[in-house]
């Protein structure tokens, strides 16, 4: 991630990268964000009509908020209903960054940073695995990611391997109850 952040030479690209990683949002959800969906005071992002046509709230950290603020600071249209992530393509009618545009930006960042296979879902997966490794419970993670049940997280949980043993070691019920 540090290499990707250093490869960002545009405020929009940094805001996109950090929003994707900090929220775990799907690419379509990122593309559909409006300026008013991000509250830089409360560090919340409202995902409207995500998968399953459900709204949800995600959260961002201070660094992501600063990146979004910097990006918005260079724009002329920051009305609440304006697209958050703007396309630079001339043929784009509504100005909104498209899914393919996000993919192209991330691929270019990956190439510039020397990081292979950077794509939107990889950032979503990184969000999930990082949260699990940090000790977030699967129910909370499922809600943040917009999953209707925790079964969808099985692949993410399976991919963290040894981290599960370490996590158990930190909270082993028997070891905690039978301390000497």
């Amino acid at each position: 991630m540090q290499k990707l952040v250093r490869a960002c030479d545009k405020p929009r690209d940094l805001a996109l990268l950090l929003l994707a990683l900090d929220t775990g949002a799907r690419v379509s959800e990122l593309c559909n964000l409006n300026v008013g969906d991000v509250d830089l005071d409360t560090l919340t992002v409202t995902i409207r009509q995500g998968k399953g046509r459900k709204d949800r709230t995600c959260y961002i950290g201070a660094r992501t908020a600063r990146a979004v603020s910097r990006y918005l600071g260079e724009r002329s249209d920051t009305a609440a209903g304006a697209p958050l992530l703007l396309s630079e393509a001339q043929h784009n009618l509504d100005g909104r960054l498209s899914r393919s545009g996000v993919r192209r930006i991330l691929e270019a960042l990956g190439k510039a940073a020397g990081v292979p296979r950077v794509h939107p879902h990889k950032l979503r997966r990184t969000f999930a695995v990082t949260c699990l490794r940090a000790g977030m419970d699967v129910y909370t993670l499922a809600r943040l990611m917009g999953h209707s049940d925790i079964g969808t997280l099985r692949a993410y949980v399976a991919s963290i391997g040894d981290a599960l043993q370490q996590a158990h070691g930190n909270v082993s019920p028997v070891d905690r109850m039978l301390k000497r």
Side-chain angles (χ1 to χ4, degrees), residues 117-129:
R117 297 175 302 280
V118 179
H119 52 84
H121 195 74
K122 188 172 191 176
L123 296 179
R124 183 167 161 82
R125 184 179 185 283
T126 300
F127 168 81
V129 170

Side-chain angles (χ1 to χ4, degrees), residues 76-98:
S76 58
D77 183 8
T78 57
L84 178 64
L85 299 168
L86 295 177
S87 172
E88 295 175 351
Q90 299 295 331
H91 65 275
N92 190 312
L93 299 178
D94 68 354
R96 191 176 293 278
L97 188 61
S98 67

Side-chain angles (χ1 to χ4, degrees), residues 23-177:
T23 63
R26 297 173 178 90
V27 65
S28 59
E29 294 168 341
L30 291 168
C31 293
N32 290 331
L33 287 174
N34 290 328
V35 172
D37 294 332
V38 179
D39 187 327
L40 298 176
D41 294 325
T42 62
L43 303 178
T44 58
V45 176
T46 302
I47 305 290
R48 299 188 192 284
Q49 300 295 298
K51 191 172 182 179
R53 295 188 162 293
K54 292 183 256 176
D55 295 350
R56 72 177 188 283
T57 300
C58 294
Y59 304 91
I60 56 174
R63 186 168 181 164
T64 300
R66 284 192 302 272
V68 171
S69 178
R70 180 173 173 223
Y71 170 53
L72 291 174
E74 71 173 18
R75 290 184 33 187
S76 58
D77 183 8
T78 57
L84 178 64
L85 299 168
L86 295 177
S87 172
E88 295 175 351
Q90 299 295 331
H91 65 275
N92 190 312
L93 299 178
D94 68 354
R96 191 176 293 278
L97 188 61
S98 67
R99 293 169 57 154
S100 61
V102 170
R103 185 171 295 279
R104 280 192 298 273
I105 290 167
L106 294 179
E107 286 172 356
L109 286 176
K111 186 174 182 180
V115 178
R117 297 175 302 280
V118 179
H119 52 84
H121 195 74
K122 188 172 191 176
L123 296 179
R124 183 167 161 82
R125 184 179 185 283
T126 300
F127 168 81
V129 170
T130 302
C131 288
L132 287 170
R133 285 187 175 151
M136 183 179 286
D137 67 272
V138 292
Y139 298 101
T140 301
L141 181 59
R143 286 187 61 203
L144 287 174
M145 294 184 74
H147 293 305
S148 56
D149 68 76
I150 64 168
T152 312
L153 294 175
R154 280 191 197 115
Y156 302 122
V157 172
S159 72
I160 63 173
D162 293 337
L164 292 175
Q165 184 175 8
Q166 181 181 354
H168 179 270
N170 293 337
V171 299
S172 171
V174 170
D175 289 349
R176 285 178 166 269
M177 286 187 264

Side-chain angles (χ1 to χ4, degrees), residues 7-20:
C8 291
D9 59 355
K10 296 178 183 173
R12 180 207 55 195
D13 297 353
L14 181 60
L16 166 64
L17 178 68
L18 296 183
L19 274 168

